[in-house]
Protein backbone atom coordinates (compact mmCIF):
# COMPACT_ATOMS: atom_id res chain seq x y z
CA UNK A 1 0.00 0.00 0.00
CA UNK A 2 3.05 2.24 -0.10
CA UNK A 3 2.52 3.72 3.35
CA UNK A 4 -1.19 4.36 2.80
CA UNK A 5 -2.44 1.99 5.50
CA UNK A 6 -4.63 3.97 7.90
CA UNK A 7 -3.02 4.30 11.33
CA UNK A 8 -6.35 3.47 12.96
CA UNK A 9 -6.59 -0.15 11.88
CA UNK A 10 -7.38 -2.97 14.25
CA UNK A 11 -6.83 -6.63 13.43
CA UNK A 12 -9.38 -8.96 14.98
CA UNK A 13 -8.73 -12.72 14.77
CA UNK A 14 -11.84 -14.61 13.73
CA UNK A 15 -10.68 -18.21 13.43
CA UNK A 16 -7.62 -20.37 13.03
CA UNK A 17 -7.87 -24.09 12.32
CA UNK A 18 -6.08 -26.93 10.62
CA UNK A 19 -7.73 -28.49 7.60
CA UNK A 20 -7.83 -32.18 6.62
CA UNK A 21 -5.00 -31.72 4.13
CA UNK A 22 -2.72 -30.42 6.92
CA UNK A 23 -2.89 -26.79 5.84
CA UNK A 24 -3.82 -23.94 8.13
CA UNK A 25 -6.84 -21.68 7.59
CA UNK A 26 -6.61 -18.25 9.24
CA UNK A 27 -9.44 -15.72 9.07
CA UNK A 28 -9.09 -12.17 10.35
CA UNK A 29 -11.12 -8.97 10.25
CA UNK A 30 -9.35 -5.69 9.52
CA UNK A 31 -11.40 -3.02 11.28
CA UNK A 32 -11.25 0.61 10.15
CA UNK A 33 -13.16 3.59 11.50
CA UNK A 34 -14.56 5.05 8.27
CA UNK A 35 -15.80 3.94 4.85
CA UNK A 36 -13.11 6.09 3.18
CA UNK A 37 -10.41 4.17 5.07
CA UNK A 38 -11.99 0.90 3.96
CA UNK A 39 -11.73 2.01 0.35
CA UNK A 40 -8.01 2.71 0.84
CA UNK A 41 -7.37 -0.71 2.37
CA UNK A 42 -9.44 -2.59 -0.21
CA UNK A 43 -8.07 -0.60 -3.15
CA UNK A 44 -9.26 -0.52 -6.72
CA UNK A 45 -10.95 -3.85 -7.49
CA UNK A 46 -9.43 -5.35 -4.33
CA UNK A 47 -5.83 -4.96 -5.46
CA UNK A 48 -4.54 -3.46 -2.21
CA UNK A 49 -6.06 -6.07 0.11
CA UNK A 50 -4.97 -8.73 -2.38
CA UNK A 51 -1.35 -7.61 -2.11
CA UNK A 52 -1.57 -7.44 1.68
CA UNK A 53 -3.04 -10.94 1.80
CA UNK A 54 -0.47 -12.46 -0.57
CA UNK A 55 2.48 -10.99 1.29
CA UNK A 56 1.09 -11.98 4.68
CA UNK A 57 0.30 -15.51 3.51
CA UNK A 58 3.80 -15.93 2.09
CA UNK A 59 5.30 -14.80 5.40
CA UNK A 60 3.06 -17.19 7.35
CA UNK A 61 4.00 -20.11 5.12
CA UNK A 62 7.69 -19.22 5.38
CA UNK A 63 7.65 -19.09 9.19
CA UNK A 64 5.29 -22.00 9.82
CA UNK A 65 6.63 -24.25 7.05
CA UNK A 66 3.16 -25.32 5.94
CA UNK A 67 0.49 -24.30 3.46
CA UNK A 68 -1.76 -21.48 4.71
CA UNK A 69 -5.08 -20.08 3.59
CA UNK A 70 -5.46 -16.47 4.74
CA UNK A 71 -8.87 -14.83 4.62
CA UNK A 72 -8.93 -11.08 5.28
CA UNK A 73 -12.21 -9.19 5.68
CA UNK A 74 -12.17 -5.38 5.78
CA UNK A 75 -14.97 -3.98 7.92
CA UNK A 76 -16.00 -0.57 9.20
CA UNK A 77 -16.26 -0.54 12.99
CA UNK A 78 -19.53 0.48 14.58
CA UNK A 79 -19.58 3.79 16.47
CA UNK A 80 -19.84 2.15 19.91
CA UNK A 81 -16.80 -0.04 19.18
CA UNK A 82 -14.72 3.00 18.21
CA UNK A 83 -14.88 4.31 21.78
CA UNK A 84 -12.98 1.22 22.99
CA UNK A 85 -9.83 2.32 21.16
Amino acid sequence: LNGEIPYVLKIKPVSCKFLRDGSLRVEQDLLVNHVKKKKIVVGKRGQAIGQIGCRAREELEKHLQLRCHLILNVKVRKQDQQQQY
Side-chain angles (χ1 to χ4, degrees):
L1 284 174
N2 300 327
E4 294 180 15
I5 296 176
Y7 68 92
V8 181
L9 177 88
K10 184 175 181 181
I11 300 172
K12 178 183 167 190
V14 176
S15 68
C16 183
K17 62 181 176 180
F18 287 97
L19 302 177
R20 291 181 187 171
D21 64 357
S23 62
L24 180 66
R25 181 185 187 277
V26 178
E27 183 174 357
Q28 296 188 331
D29 288 343
L30 305 178
L31 303 172
V32 296
N33 61 349
H34 198 275
V35 175
K36 290 181 183 180
K37 306 283 192 217
K38 179 179 178 179
K39 289 180 181 182
I40 292 170
V41 175
V42 172
K44 188 174 184 178
R45 290 198 247 161
Q47 286 180 326
I49 192 69
Q51 286 180 350
I52 292 169
C54 285
R55 289 179 188 170
R57 182 185 49 77
E58 289 170 0
E59 286 291 318
L60 276 173
E61 290 179 348
K62 180 180 168 185
H63 291 296
L64 299 176
Q65 297 293 312
L66 59 102
R67 180 85 172 120
C68 296
H69 306 276
L70 181 61
I71 294 92
L72 299 175
N73 305 304
V74 182
K75 297 182 177 182
V76 177
R77 289 183 291 136
K78 296 177 185 172
Q79 290 292 350
D80 57 338
Q81 291 177 334
Q82 290 182 21
Q83 310 243 336
Q84 296 174 0
Y85 253 109

